[in-house]
Every structure is written in structure tokens, then in C-alpha cells.
Amino acid sequence: MIQTRFNYDGAAQFLPNDLFSTRNDQIQNAWRQLTEQTGKGNDFLGWLSLPDTMAAETPKIQDVAKRLAGCSEVVLVIGIGGSYLGARAVIEALQPHFKMLEKTGKSPIILYAGNNMSEDYLFDLKNILDEKEYSIIVISKSGTTTEPAIAFRIFKEHCEKKYGKAEACKRIVAITDKARGALKQLATQEGYDTFVIEDNVGGRYSVLSPVGLLPIAAAGYDITRILEGARQMKELLYGHPKPKENLAMQYALIRNYLYNSGKKMELMVAYEPRLYYFIEWYKQLFGESEGKENKGIFPAGCIFSTDLHSLGQYVQEGERMLFETVISVEGSHHTLPIPFDEQNIDKLNYLQSKKIQQINLTAETGTRMAHIDGGVPNLRITVPTISEEILGELIYFFEFSCALGGYLLDINPFDQPGVEAYKKNMFRLLGKE
Ligand code: PA5
């Protein structure tokens, strides 16, 4: 039973009443292009069936994850863009906020490298790993991306020096193309355990493949539940070709309408800081998928109420070119009462009988009302809590919506020609042959 709900009451006044009837053909056409696999980039639609196809690979992923976790205080995930953001989005959404400082954690801490080229970051990480038992999951579909390649060269050498070559080879797992690329060549030569990223699964749509599932399993989370949530969302989105019953069709169509009416930026908001990296994942998914041919909604992100004290002013009164989508989490996992204070100098006793989560949700309602009044359409994706199943639902929902959004813009949502531009300049300036 799907637990994710989509609500656009907060955008109703910015939309025509007959939006779904007048644009029914357009959204149905996009849905058909996607589900019948006839649209642009249709050789990159392997992600659509991952919730089903991954079931066969799950036992191997879980075995390898268990082996890595068993010998590691830290699992280092090396990758960039789609080769790391999905895993980080899920792990950080599920783990306790201060996992890093927990002394009794049963599962390893996941650290990340290869997503930047900061020398100081790599230096500091190397120092930490001198002191920790660790293993490495290196992920690169192309096997040639500079950032992870540099990080892997450094930590491969570090790992071999620390454990000896034979033991290091057991502690390194590669996820890459089945045949091409330097990483594949290296993995074969060194005999690493390897998982394949299929040709028809692009980086940013790969979180439900071993790319996301192996690090998530190594972090101690149940990947079968993630896949189950995604499978249920898939069933819903495939089974209902009419926008009225299909959350992704509604979301994609409303986003597209708002974009065409001048709302060029979507602010993805959560009131839970543990969703920070989920929003980073969303930004990459939509930014790389839609932003091309001089078109596309600019995907931005905020954590409220934190950012109400920074960007909140702009959202309320700045340029009116944005709409807001809130991932609203109804329940907290824990309860922490606000203490009663006899003196009440801070005048907070009026909140004493309330749950902090309730106060957080009230801030959300008050903000929504204010932003709508300020001319910011508000969309809401509501979930009861954050769990593996729900993250699976949300991942599939956003991926499906993103692909529909690309087709509504008449672009290919599965390529990323623009990311080559900086690389060309960088390689020329570095003197690469
Ligand atoms: O979504 C994408 O395709 C990109 O963000 C890639 O995931 C990213 O550039 C990393 O590429 P690779 O996995 O080939 O190292």
C-alpha cells in the first residue's frame, strides 16, 4: 500500500481549473512514451524495471555488504554525481544524525570520496583512515571520471600499504561497466568483487541498482524494503494512465504548467535535516535531466526552518519566479518533551504540552500559508515517516516524474551533453593527451 501522497491545494490558485482536462493528451502522451519506451533516450530506460530485476541480485549484494561491514569501521564510497548521491541520500535519511560520534554503532560509518578534488579533504580523510579498519566501494560507470579516479588511486595505494595486496583486494569492491573503462580493467586485473551497471541505466537513475544498494546494505539498511517501496510505486504509476489517479503525472504536469507561466525555479524543501542529501540527489536528478536546449526548471533546495532564517526572506518577497515543493514528514521516530520551567523567563511554557514534531509541522503550515500569500505556489509530497519503503517510493516517484517532465519539455531526460564542457577545458589546461 503506497504511503506517499501528493497534494497541490497550495498551488490551486495559480493553476487553471481545467488543467488536467486541457492538457490530458499531452501528459498521457508523455506517460506512453515512457512506459512504452518510445520517447527520446529510450535506450536508457533500464531503471524503470530495477525494482523487479534487482531481486535476483539482492542476495549477492547483501553477502558482499555483510563481508565489508564485518571487517570495517568505515566503508569508503568513492564516486561522484549519480555514482554516489543516491546512496548518500538514503543512508543519511535513515541513519541517526550523529552516527559519526556513536561509540556503539553495529554498522560501519560510510564516508565518501571522489566527489570533489579538494586536496585538504583527501588529506584529512587519509589521516582518518590511518586509524580505522576500512574497505572501499569504488563506483564509476564510465570508469574514467577524474574525481573518483584520483581518489581511488590514493586510497587503493593506502589500502594496499595498510593491509598488504592480497587483503586489500578483498576489501575493494568495484561497480562499473560490464566491459569498458579503466575501472573494469583494473577490477579484472586485481580480482576485485565486481557489480555491473547495465548500459541502459544512467548514473542519476542508478540508485536502485548495485550503485546505491551495495553502500546502503553496507550501512546496515534493508535493501529489500527499499525495492519493495519502489515496486509498489511502480505498480501505481504504471497502472494508472490518468493524471487524476497518478501522482507522478499530476506532479509533472503542474511543474510544467508553472514553468511555462514563469515559475522557472523549483525549491525542494524538507523540514527534516536528514533529507538534506535526498534533496541533493533530487537536484542532480532534475538538473541533469531537464536542464538542456536552454530549457528546464532550475532545481534548488532548502531545509526549513533552518533556511527560513536565510533564504526565507527571498522566498517570501524576492523575485516571483519560483514555486515550492515540500517533502512533508508527518511523524518523528522519537519523542523529546519540552521541559516545564517554573520561572518561564523564555515564555515557552505555552509549548510545553506540545510535541516538537507538532511545532515543526505547525511551522510548515504557517510557512506554506505565508508563501502562498506571497505568490509562491506550494506543492506537497506527504509521507508518514522516513523508512526504507518510503524512500523506495519517493525515489521511484521522483525518477518517473522527472522522465515525464523531460518529455513534456521535449528534451532527452537521459543524456547530459553539457557536463563535458568543463572537462574539455580542464583536460586541455592540465595537458592531458
Ligand atoms: O548522472 C550521471 O550520469 C552523472 O552524474 C554521472 O553519474 C557522474 O558524472 C559520474 O559518472 P561515472 O559513474 O561514469 O564516473
Side-chain angles (χ1 to χ4, degrees):
M1 181 61 178
I2 285 291
Q3 301 177 74
T4 305
R5 304 190 305 278
F6 175 64
N7 181 306
Y8 56 92
D9 288 352
Q13 69 192 76
F14 304 90
L15 304 172
N17 289 334
D18 57 358
L19 177 67
F20 290 136
S21 53
T22 51
R23 298 196 49 197
N24 186 45
D25 287 355
Q26 205 183 346
I27 186 66
Q28 289 219 338
N29 187 30
W31 182 86
R32 269 197 307 276
Q33 284 182 62
L34 183 59
T35 55
E36 292 168 11
Q37 313 208 352
T38 53
K40 290 183 181 171
N42 61 0
D43 45 347
F44 275 95
L45 291 176
W47 59 272
L48 278 167
S49 48
L50 287 175
D52 303 312
T53 55
M54 272 300 113
E57 274 214 65
T58 304
K60 183 183 166 197
I61 294 173
Q62 286 169 324
D63 276 359
V64 173
K66 203 167 159 197
R67 187 170 62 69
L68 296 183
C71 65
S72 315
E73 295 167 278
V74 170
V75 173
L76 180 63
V77 174
I78 299 180
I80 193 166
S83 286
Y84 105 102
L85 273 168
R88 190 164 195 178
V90 172
I91 292 166
E92 304 235 345
L94 292 173
Q95 76 186 6
H97 289 97
F98 306 105
K99 160 104 184 152
M100 211 66 96
L101 299 176
E102 275 183 2
K103 294 230 162 48
T104 54
K106 286 194 209 94
S107 49
I109 288 171
I110 310 298
L111 295 180
Y112 304 87
N115 56 68
N116 63 56
M117 287 192 281
S118 160
E119 191 152 13
D120 288 342
Y121 182 99
L122 292 167
F123 181 90
D124 291 348
L125 182 56
K126 197 159 168 288
N127 279 347
I128 290 290
L129 294 180
D130 282 342
E131 309 297 323
K132 300 280 179 197
E133 300 302 328
Y134 77 100
S135 51
I136 299 175
I137 301 174
V138 54
I139 309 170
S140 177
K141 183 172 178 184
S142 63
T144 55
T145 308
T146 309
E147 292 89 337
I150 291 174
F152 185 53
R153 188 183 271 215
I154 290 169
F155 291 107
K156 175 179 182 292
E157 187 207 44
H158 184 267
C159 194
E160 286 173 356
K161 278 197 179 140
K162 183 168 173 137
Y163 294 108
K165 181 99 180 161
E167 171 68 10
C169 287
K170 291 189 201 139
R171 286 176 176 264
I172 298 174
V173 178
I175 308 181
T176 188
D177 187 84
K178 63 176 171 300
R180 284 165 303 194
L183 181 57
K184 171 65 192 166
Q185 204 183 328
L186 209 53
T188 308
Q189 180 189 299
E190 306 285 4
Y192 302 148
D193 262 332
T194 305
F195 291 90
V196 169
I197 312 174
E198 296 298 340
D199 287 343
N200 62 0
V201 178
R204 60 190 173 277
Y205 291 85
S206 68
V207 52
L208 299 175
S209 79
V211 171
L213 297 180
L214 181 64
I216 294 168
Y221 297 106
D222 187 347
I223 56 175
T224 61
R225 289 173 56 196
I226 296 176
L227 290 170
E228 179 55 21
R231 204 188 55 70
Q232 297 223 11
M233 182 59 82
K234 174 174 182 254
E235 228 165 68
L236 177 90
L237 301 181
Y238 266 73
H240 297 90
K242 296 208 174 84
K244 277 216 162 117
E245 300 147 2
N246 187 307
L247 318 184
M249 287 168 101
Q250 287 173 22
Y251 177 49
L253 189 53
I254 292 171
R255 287 177 86 251
N256 184 265
Y257 177 86
L258 291 171
Y259 171 69
N260 286 321
S261 66
K263 305 292 187 191
K264 304 291 185 196
M265 182 189 285
E266 178 175 34
L267 194 60
M268 186 61 62
V269 174
Y271 287 70
E272 281 297 334
R274 59 174 58 196
L275 291 179
Y276 177 86
Y277 271 97
F278 194 86
I279 292 179
E280 290 300 298
W281 171 81
Y282 143 84
K283 278 158 60 177
Q284 193 228 353
L285 176 65
F286 280 76
E288 264 189 4
S289 299
E290 289 189 332
K292 50 197 70 153
E293 299 180 26
N294 299 330
K295 296 188 244 185
I297 296 169
F298 184 87
C302 274
I303 296 294
F304 286 171
S305 64
T306 312
D307 291 326
L308 288 174
H309 298 259
S310 65
L311 289 175
Q313 171 60 37
Y314 190 102
V315 179
Q316 191 65 46
E317 295 183 348
E319 177 106 25
R320 302 297 70 192
M321 78 329 181
L322 53 87
F323 66 98
E324 188 174 62
T325 300
V326 178
I327 304 175
S328 177
V329 182
E330 289 173 315
S332 62
H333 292 302
H334 305 287
T335 299
L336 184 68
I338 298 176
F340 179 76
D341 186 313
E342 286 287 349
Q343 291 192 53
N344 197 25
I345 293 172
D346 53 14
K347 302 271 183 292
L348 284 184
N349 278 355
Y350 80 103
L351 293 176
Q352 199 252 327
S353 63
K354 295 189 166 52
K355 252 177 84 60
I356 297 177
Q357 174 66 2
Q358 194 188 340
I359 301 170
N360 199 20
L361 289 172
T362 309
E364 185 184 316
T365 307
T367 306
R368 178 167 61 249
M369 290 157 69
H371 288 179
I372 295 167
D373 284 348
V376 179
N378 183 287
L379 307 176
R380 194 150 39 111
I381 295 158
T382 305
V383 293
T385 182
I386 300 173
S387 67
E388 281 102 327
E389 283 88 355
I390 283 172
L391 289 166
E393 288 181 19
L394 288 174
I395 286 166
Y396 203 86
F397 165 77
F398 278 114
E399 289 180 343
F400 200 94
S401 305
C402 180
L404 289 178
Y407 287 153
L408 290 173
L409 287 171
D410 193 26
I411 49 100
N412 177 354
F414 308 111
D415 64 0
Q416 53 283 329
V419 297
E420 294 309 313
Y422 95 91
K423 293 184 194 168
K424 274 190 200 140
N425 289 339
M426 179 180 76
F427 292 144
R428 187 170 39 77
L429 293 167
L430 287 170
K432 187 180 178 186
E433 284 160 27

